[in-house]
Amino acid sequence: MVSYLNMSMQTLLNVLKKDGKSEERPSAFIALGEISRAVGTHIKPYLDQLIAILKNALNVKTKGYCLQALTCVSMLSSVVGPALQKDIHEILGTW
């Protein structure tokens, strides 16, 4: 399962980096949360990229706003906990 993590993450990150409201973004956020649950702490190398994407996706003032990103934050925080804690206020502060 972990052996395919990099390929899967690169695909999801490419979908999530697209500006605007693509049809795939909501599903990609949910998939990302589910993947983080499946691989556990192996998701940590991707945290910096994910945090930047989540900040944008939860900013209601941008065209990239996506409510499913909040579900992703919830699933991700249950896996990495303290590693995300320092950034959680900044991520949700844009709400």
Side-chain angles (χ1 to χ4, degrees), residues 52-73:
I53 290 169
L54 289 166
K55 284 183 206 176
N56 182 53
L58 290 173
N59 186 344
V60 295
K61 297 176 183 175
T62 66
K63 64 180 180 176
Y65 177 73
C66 183
L67 188 58
Q68 287 78 6
L70 188 58
T71 303
C72 181
V73 169

Side-chain angles (χ1 to χ4, degrees), residues 14 26 33 35-36 45 49 52 75 81:
N14 286 334
I35 286 173
S36 69
Q49 289 178 292
M75 288 189 265

Side-chain angles (χ1 to χ4, degrees), residues 19 21 23 26-28 34 36 42 56 61 65 68 72 81 83 88 93:
D19 288 332
K21 295 190 179 231
E23 294 178 17
S27 298
E34 294 293 340
S36 69
H42 294 286
N56 182 53
K61 297 176 183 175
Y65 177 73
Q68 287 78 6
C72 181
I88 199 73

Side-chain angles (χ1 to χ4, degrees), residues 1-38:
M1 159 173 53
V2 176
S3 61
Y4 293 103
L5 179 60
N6 190 49
M7 183 174 58
S8 300
M9 288 301 297
Q10 293 310 315
T11 300
L12 286 172
L13 290 171
N14 286 334
V15 169
L16 295 174
K17 287 178 184 175
K18 293 179 183 175
D19 288 332
K21 295 190 179 231
S22 71
E23 294 178 17
E24 299 91 10
R25 285 189 88 212
S27 298
F29 277 117
I30 300 300
L32 181 61
E34 294 293 340
I35 286 173
S36 69
R37 283 181 166 175

